[in-house]
Amino acid sequence: MGAEGAGQMRHLRALMESHPSRERRPDQSLLASPAGSGLDHTRAILSADGRWAMVYVPTGRPVTVRLDKLSGPSVKASWHDPRTGGVESAGRRANRGEAEFDPPGSPGPGNDWVLVLDSVPRRE
């Protein structure tokens, strides 16, 4: 219980609870770049209605996603640091085609991030 990772679980829980759990499902088809393997295996989840997605990048390498898997005319992106709970904007993009997102820091073990993609309705 005193391990560093145990304390970080509260950040992961807060992130996961920020989006409805009954709607999420694994969906590797969201990834346009290779998922990798082993300890460098990128994982993606997408809401059933396409309003949001999350992509776990375990080693901080860039990831390309298919934005058109999400609903709405544009997508707001942010990087969530599972170690600290910090959030950094990754911008807003038109919802079409593929887009590459580069997490903060240098690629390597221990630089894991979660890319959160939220659909933005026309009225925002």
Side-chain angles (χ1 to χ4, degrees), residues 14-111:
L15 174 60
M16 297 309 287
E17 288 178 348
S18 71
H19 291 73
S21 63
R22 284 182 260 163
E23 296 181 11
R24 74 177 71 122
R25 58 186 165 82
D27 191 342
Q28 292 297 94
S29 72
L30 181 69
L31 302 176
S33 55
S37 61
L39 297 177
D40 192 25
H41 188 244
T42 301
R43 299 294 302 167
I45 58 175
L46 178 66
S47 69
D49 59 6
R51 289 183 306 150
W52 60 268
M54 293 183 191
V55 179
Y56 176 68
V57 180
T59 59
R61 66 182 165 88
V63 62
T64 303
V65 298
R66 293 182 173 93
L67 293 179
D68 53 7
K69 299 281 283 180
L70 289 118
S71 61
S74 64
V75 175
K76 182 176 71 171
S78 56
W79 286 107
H80 292 251
D81 185 340
R83 297 168 305 280
T84 66
V87 179
E88 293 191 28
S89 174
R92 189 168 167 166
R93 314 264 177 108
N95 187 4
R96 62 178 172 270
E98 299 175 356
E100 182 179 79
F101 294 90
D102 191 5
S106 299
N111 189 34

